[in-house]
């Protein structure tokens, strides 16, 4: 086995210890350096320094394993298994780089989102959120995307003329103009940090009716996570009802403008939804009545309100998805519903779970009225804004033990096709 790397130590000094454990395990054991604490005590020194917090809103004292001592002995030990070649030894042709630092000012949207990153980071440090729901890696990942272009976080936000992405395009075009006679080439790394999507063959979590009633009860009483959140304590319960009552995606609900709401007809006009689809979503009369009452109160508080769920901190923009997710998880906790992953559920509970719950309840309602799947699914697919019937079918994958009546009816209809076999 040959190990080859150009970055044996890229993030932390502990990477050298890990390489040595792979390549020199017996040697480390013989020298009494098999445990990391022993190795670190012999060759490493910790330093405490002030550094920028991961969320980018302040500084903190952080102790790190920062530098080596007894370096000649360590190098001699490592060279027993390593052939080290430095750039000076290799003398490889390397092009000269002309660096240019361009300083850009954040937009108002970005400034507000950075504050949201700080709130998320504080919740993570205080262990108020499960690591599978939010963690520092996700927060810094979102921060990098936010710094590149605010539309990577919310595609409904405007194209900021001074964003990194726009400035990069302008700079690339400027260089092209200067070098087009020579037909020079440009290499522009394009990478959006993100996570691999999980496999689609999973069973989404489905609320029981008792759990959903508990969520509604707590939501109507819960004041939220932030100080001065009396307005959000009225806004978010309405948003929760819209997500369940209409099966909306969170981004669709947050981007709703009052001009897209027809209270007289009880219809929401969804614009620029996923897959660039537009659709009309009829509401139940009871939900329309609630939304009408909600609008009167919101307009009385802010006559210039544009969005249905408009931020009080940044007027003229909707609330951020992160803010509602944090509120929703707090409501879940208050309602006594565990958000930890379970073996049979591929993903944890999130606001999107309300969309699944709407789908399941719609299926049961159609079944009670005697409609077949072939009759029902095309209408549901159009209502949800899905690209295909297959996508809607995936939404109907659930743990049907929650709906025993439905399961019993299915058994009565098709149970005779596959009779039980007694192997004894």
């Amino acid at each position: 086995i040959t190990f080859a790397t150009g970055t044996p130590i890229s993030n932390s000094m502990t990477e050298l210890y890990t390489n040595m454990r792979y390549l020199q395990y017996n040697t480390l054991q013989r020298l009494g350096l098999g445990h990391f604490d022993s190795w670190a005590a012999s060759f490493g020194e910790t330093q405490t320094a002030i550094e920028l917090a991961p969320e980018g809103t302040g500084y903190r004292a952080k102790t790190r394993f920062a530098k080596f001592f007894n370096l000649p002995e360590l190098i001699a030990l490592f060279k027993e298994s390593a052939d080290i070649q430095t750039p000076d030894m290799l003398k490889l042709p390397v092009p000269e780089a002309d660096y240019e630092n361009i300083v850009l000012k954040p937009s108002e949207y970005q400034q507000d989102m950075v504050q949201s990153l700080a709130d998320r980071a504080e919740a993570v440090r205080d262990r108020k959120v499960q690591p599978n729901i939010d963690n520092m890696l996700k927060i810094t990942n979102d921060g990098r995307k936010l710094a590149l272009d605010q539309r990577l976080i919310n595609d409904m936000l405007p194209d900021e003329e001074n964003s990194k992405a726009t400035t990069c395009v302008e700079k690339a075009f400027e260089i092209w103009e200067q070098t087009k006679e020579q037909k020079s080439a440009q290499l522009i790394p394009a990478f959006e940090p993100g996570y691999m999507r999980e496999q689609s063959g999973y069973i989404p979590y489905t609320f029981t009716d008792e759990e959903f009633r508990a969520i509604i009860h707590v939501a109507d009483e819960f004041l939220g996570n932030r100080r001065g959140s009396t307005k959000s304590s009225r806004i978010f319960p309405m948003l929760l009802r819209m997500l369940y009552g209409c099966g909306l995606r969170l981004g669709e609900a947050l981007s709703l403008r009052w001009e897209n709401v027809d209270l007289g007809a009880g219809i929401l006009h969804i614009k620029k939804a996923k897959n660039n689809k537009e659709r009309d979503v009829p509401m139940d009369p009871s939900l329309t009545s609630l939304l009408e009452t909600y609008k009167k109160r919101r307009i009385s508080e802010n006559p210039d309100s544009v969005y249905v769920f408009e931020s009080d901190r940044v007027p003229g923009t909707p609330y951020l998805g992160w803010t509602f997710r944090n509120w929703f998880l707090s409501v879940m906790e208050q309602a006594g519903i565990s958000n930890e992953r379970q073996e049979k559920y591929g993903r944890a509970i999130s606001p999107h779970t309300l969309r699944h719950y709407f789908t399941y309840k719609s299926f049961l309602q159609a079944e009670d009225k005697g409609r077949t799947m072939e009759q029902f699914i095309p209408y549901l697919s159009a209502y949800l804004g899905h690209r295909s019937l297959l996508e809607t079918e995936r939404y109907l994958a659930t743990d049907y033990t929650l709906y025993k009546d439905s399961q019993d009816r299915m058994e009565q209809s098709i149970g005779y096709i596959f009779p039980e076999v007694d192997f004894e």
Side-chain angles (χ1 to χ4, degrees):
I1 298 175
T2 301
F3 279 31
T5 177
T7 53
I9 305 174
S10 58
N11 292 307
S12 169
M13 300 297 189
T14 57
E15 293 174 47
L16 181 57
Y17 168 76
T18 301
N19 287 329
M20 293 179 72
R21 271 183 59 86
Y22 275 115
L23 301 170
Q24 298 173 275
Y25 181 81
N26 292 333
T27 301
L28 292 179
Q29 295 297 328
R30 187 178 71 252
L31 296 175
L33 302 175
H35 292 289
F36 174 73
D37 289 347
S38 302
W39 184 88
S42 300
F43 302 117
E45 180 179 339
T46 60
Q47 287 185 336
T48 300
I50 301 298
E51 63 179 32
L52 188 67
E55 62 273 20
T57 58
Y59 293 86
R60 65 178 183 177
K62 183 70 175 178
T63 301
R64 295 186 181 278
F65 182 29
K67 67 178 184 178
F68 292 118
F69 60 86
N70 294 331
L71 193 56
E73 291 82 358
L74 177 59
I75 293 175
L77 180 62
F78 187 50
K79 279 189 173 182
E80 291 182 9
S81 62
D83 180 17
I84 300 174
Q85 299 290 313
T86 65
D88 293 336
M89 298 166 63
L90 295 174
K91 296 181 179 179
L92 295 174
V94 179
E96 293 185 5
D98 184 13
Y99 295 98
E100 179 182 2
N101 293 321
I102 301 176
V103 179
L104 303 173
K105 292 183 178 181
S107 68
E108 291 184 3
Y109 299 104
Q110 288 173 316
Q111 292 177 12
D112 186 54
M113 289 178 180
V114 167
Q115 181 57 48
S116 180
L117 291 175
D119 293 340
R120 290 171 61 192
E122 183 179 354
V124 169
R125 279 195 290 267
D126 293 343
R127 301 183 185 277
K128 294 180 179 179
V129 60
Q130 294 291 333
N132 59 308
I133 300 301
D134 205 5
N135 53 63
M136 285 300 182
L137 184 60
K138 291 181 69 175
I139 293 170
T140 54
N141 179 61
D142 287 339
R144 285 194 295 269
K145 290 194 288 187
L146 174 61
L148 180 60
D149 193 308
Q150 61 194 23
R151 293 172 298 172
L152 291 174
I153 300 298
N154 184 347
D155 58 8
M156 302 302 296
L157 291 176
D159 180 9
E160 179 64 30
E161 62 179 0
N162 293 321
S163 71
K164 283 187 178 181
T166 302
T167 304
C168 177
V169 171
E170 292 174 349
K171 194 66 182 177
F173 182 77
E174 177 186 328
I175 295 172
W176 176 81
E177 284 277 12
Q178 296 170 354
T179 61
K180 61 183 178 181
E181 297 298 330
Q182 296 87 2
K183 297 183 179 180
S184 300
Q186 296 186 59
L187 296 178
I188 303 176
F191 171 67
E192 178 190 337
Y195 297 95
M196 294 292 291
R197 293 186 65 86
E198 298 181 43
Q199 296 296 323
S200 59
Y202 77 103
I203 299 176
Y205 187 91
T206 308
F207 293 122
T208 64
D209 292 341
E210 291 76 14
E211 287 176 332
F212 186 68
R213 282 193 289 269
I215 291 172
I216 291 293
H217 175 74
V218 172
D220 289 342
E221 302 294 330
F222 195 63
L223 291 178
N225 295 324
R226 294 184 175 181
R227 294 182 293 273
S229 58
T230 54
K231 291 183 180 179
S232 65
S233 68
R234 294 195 296 268
I235 295 171
F236 289 163
M238 186 68 232
L239 175 54
L240 188 149
R241 285 170 166 84
M242 294 284 286
L243 294 176
Y244 164 65
C246 297
L248 300 179
R249 301 179 180 95
L250 179 58
E252 293 173 346
L254 291 175
S255 61
L256 265 178
R257 296 169 177 258
W258 285 120
E259 65 186 15
N260 302 133
V261 178
D262 186 345
L263 290 172
I267 293 177
L268 306 174
H269 303 291
I270 306 299
K271 306 288 187 180
K272 296 181 180 179
K274 186 178 179 181
N275 307 318
N276 293 320
K277 299 185 71 172
E278 296 186 6
R279 69 187 193 278
D280 289 341
V281 176
M283 294 183 289
D284 185 85
S286 62
L287 185 60
T288 304
S289 177
L290 280 175
L291 187 58
E292 189 171 7
T293 302
Y294 166 84
K295 181 181 181 180
K296 290 178 180 177
R297 172 170 285 186
R298 288 297 290 163
I299 296 300
S300 68
E301 294 172 344
N302 180 12
D304 298 325
S305 178
V306 175
Y307 288 91
V308 177
F309 303 107
E310 187 160 310
S311 171
D312 293 308
R313 295 181 59 186
V314 186
T317 66
Y319 268 97
L320 297 174
W322 297 332
T323 308
F324 178 74
R325 287 188 186 97
N326 289 338
W327 177 89
F328 179 75
L329 293 177
S330 297
V331 167
M332 293 281 298
E333 183 180 356
Q334 292 288 324
I337 301 173
S338 173
N339 196 33
E340 294 183 3
R341 291 173 183 263
Q342 300 180 38
E343 185 174 348
K344 64 180 178 180
Y345 300 118
R347 299 171 193 170
I349 301 170
S350 70
H352 200 73
T353 307
L354 295 166
R355 183 168 158 92
H356 284 281
Y357 184 55
F358 166 83
T359 305
Y360 303 143
K361 297 293 286 186
S362 298
F363 161 69
L364 294 177
Q365 187 180 63
E367 187 190 48
D368 286 340
K369 293 181 178 180
R371 293 176 184 150
T372 65
M373 296 284 278
E374 290 79 6
Q375 295 171 329
F376 166 66
I377 286 186
Y379 290 101
L380 181 62
S381 184
Y383 191 93
L384 293 172
H386 284 161
R387 284 181 300 183
S388 66
L389 299 182
L390 180 61
E391 190 174 356
T392 309
E393 184 180 338
R394 292 196 186 107
Y395 266 58
L396 293 173
T398 185
D399 180 4
Y400 282 99
T401 57
L402 293 173
Y403 307 113
K404 193 171 185 307
D405 292 343
S406 174
Q407 189 179 37
D408 290 343
R409 285 193 293 271
M410 186 175 294
E411 285 291 333
Q412 292 173 7
S413 301
I414 66 172
Y416 67 91
I417 298 177
F418 301 103
E420 293 186 7
V421 177
D422 187 355
F423 289 98
E424 296 182 359

